[in-house]
Amino acid sequence: MIARVASIIVVSSLTHVAFPQGLVPIITANDRLVVFDHGRFREVEPRKPQQLAVVGDHLIYVDEKGRLKACHDKQVRDLKVEGPVALRASTGLVAFNSGSRLGIARAIGPLMLSNDAANVTVSDSLLAWHDRESGLLDLYYNGKVFNIALVDSAVDRPQWKLGRNTFTCFEHATGTITLFHGGNITTLCDSTDAAIVACGGDVVAY
């Protein structure tokens, strides 16, 4: 979903990211970043970026100096995120880590979600993480943050599964299995000692 750009001509190694017909990033033979946008080539950067991802008609990238930037509607914007940045992309959104901080990269500016995020996972339009500052398992969907569960401090990694547009978690303390789908939170089971869950698109098995 993200490319750490090597010496290639066309960035075709961005696996699992569907480029829209009007926006395709290209690294030229002299290491310039160019986009093919609505039938025309436009230079975006004079040097190849460290990472890049495309979501919709937005190009999000980390330039050769480590700055997080967004290219949209023929405009390039420095998102002014401090520190080393690592992208996490899906077909629906681009998240980034700057140290332990977590945010969403957008052309209008970054949306910061957490100052101390761990175990970050992203799929389609869903982003899940353990917020160690609040002790919560949080989920970002459609512009909102949902507090899903308290995290058992005795467990090194909170147990959850992220599907294409479904999310489930198992709370050890209460034995509860919780489902998130389409903005709705549902309890699948309210008392169990262990759980095995598989998440698909609109289907969950447990």
Side-chain angles (χ1 to χ4, degrees):
M1 299 176 185
I2 305 166
R4 296 184 180 274
V5 182
S7 298
I8 53 178
I9 303 302
V10 179
V11 188
S12 59
S13 60
L14 293 175
T15 58
H16 305 304
V17 173
F19 294 130
Q21 187 174 2
L23 181 62
V24 179
I26 298 168
I27 304 300
T28 67
N30 58 352
D31 283 344
R32 295 177 182 273
L33 173 60
V34 173
V35 292
F36 183 72
D37 187 9
H38 294 92
R40 294 188 178 186
F41 291 97
R42 290 191 296 105
E43 182 177 311
V44 177
E45 291 285 341
R47 297 288 183 270
K48 67 183 179 183
Q50 298 177 17
Q51 304 171 68
L52 60 80
V54 173
V55 174
D57 57 354
H58 292 67
L59 170 65
I60 307 295
Y61 64 96
V62 179
D63 73 7
E64 53 104 14
K65 293 184 178 180
R67 294 171 298 195
L68 180 62
K69 294 183 177 180
C71 177
H72 172 65
D73 196 23
K74 301 181 181 179
Q75 302 293 321
V76 174
R77 178 172 180 173
D78 185 345
L79 299 185
K80 298 190 181 300
V81 174
E82 296 181 358
V85 175
L87 298 183
R88 299 172 180 269
S90 70
T91 55
L93 56 83
V94 180
F96 66 88
N97 282 108
S98 176
S100 62
R101 294 185 302 155
L102 174 67
I104 302 289
R106 307 174 302 173
I108 60 174
L111 174 64
M112 301 309 299
L113 300 174
S114 174
N115 290 320
D116 192 3
N119 310 127
V120 179
T121 51
V122 60
S123 177
D124 198 42
S125 58
L126 299 175
L127 172 66
W129 71 96
H130 172 199
D131 191 309
R132 291 182 295 199
E133 195 172 59
S134 65
L136 292 171
L137 174 57
D138 286 336
L139 186 70
Y140 173 88
Y141 170 74
N142 198 27
K144 297 180 181 179
V145 174
F146 296 83
N147 304 133
I148 302 297
L150 286 170
V151 174
D152 186 347
S153 59
V155 180
D156 291 334
R157 175 183 168 84
Q159 283 190 269
W160 74 74
K161 292 280 189 178
L162 195 60
R164 195 179 69 213
N165 58 3
T166 54
F167 171 89
T168 58
C169 78
F170 174 52
E171 293 184 70
H172 291 261
T174 62
T176 302
I177 306 173
T178 301
L179 165 68
F180 180 93
H181 178 255
N184 298 310
I185 300 174
T186 305
T187 299
L188 297 180
C189 178
D190 60 9
S191 180
T192 183
D193 294 329
I196 299 175
V197 181
C199 294
D202 297 309
V203 178
V204 169
Y206 70 101

